[in-house]
Amino acid sequence: MSVKQYEKDGKTFWLVYIDLRSRKKCRLRVQKRITCIKTEAEALALEKKYLRDMAERLSLLEAKGSLWEEVIERWVRQQELYPTRRLAKTTIQDYE
């Protein structure tokens, strides 16, 4: 999260950037960038508001369940740890 000042066409504006990653699932990430804010106070207020909103969105994504890639990785790991005669290694690779 950051609030930065920048100049555009000789005028001073503020930028708010929010980037959150999940602690539970490292591949989950939400981010937001808001530009052309006229005052620092407004930028700080927007940062608070959107930080709360983005944290809520991230928690909803975490609650949805496993990502498809994670399901595939777990299945392949399961097949490697406990091999069955039903599936050959090449079949597992094809399925993956």
Side-chain angles (χ1 to χ4, degrees):
M1 289 82 48
S2 70
V3 176
K4 294 182 181 179
Q5 182 179 1
Y6 70 98
E7 286 193 28
K8 182 178 178 182
D9 299 330
K11 296 180 182 178
T12 302
F13 292 104
W14 293 86
L15 166 97
V16 174
Y17 177 69
I18 300 168
D19 179 21
L20 297 175
R21 284 190 179 271
S22 172
R23 292 181 184 173
K24 296 177 184 175
K25 300 176 182 179
C26 61
R27 292 182 180 156
L28 286 180
R29 176 182 176 189
V30 291
Q31 57 185 2
K32 178 110 177 142
R33 183 183 313 265
I34 308 162
T35 59
C36 298
I37 304 169
K38 296 182 180 178
T39 64
E40 183 180 12
E42 185 182 353
L44 292 172
L46 285 173
E47 181 188 29
K48 270 187 185 179
K49 176 187 173 197
Y50 281 104
L51 180 60
R52 190 171 41 249
D53 291 345
M54 300 302 283
E56 185 178 326
R57 185 182 301 174
L58 184 62
S59 66
L60 289 173
L61 287 173
E62 286 176 346
K64 277 188 174 180
S66 298
L67 298 173
W68 184 244
E69 294 174 11
E70 293 171 351
V71 172
I72 293 171
E73 286 175 12
R74 279 193 235 143
W75 181 81
V76 170
R77 236 180 299 132
Q78 178 75 18
Q79 296 301 319
E80 290 171 354
L81 290 174
Y82 306 104
T84 62
R85 295 181 184 175
R86 240 179 59 210
L87 298 174
K89 288 184 179 183
T90 55
T91 305
I92 293 171
Q93 290 173 350
D94 289 344
Y95 285 175
E96 183 182 6

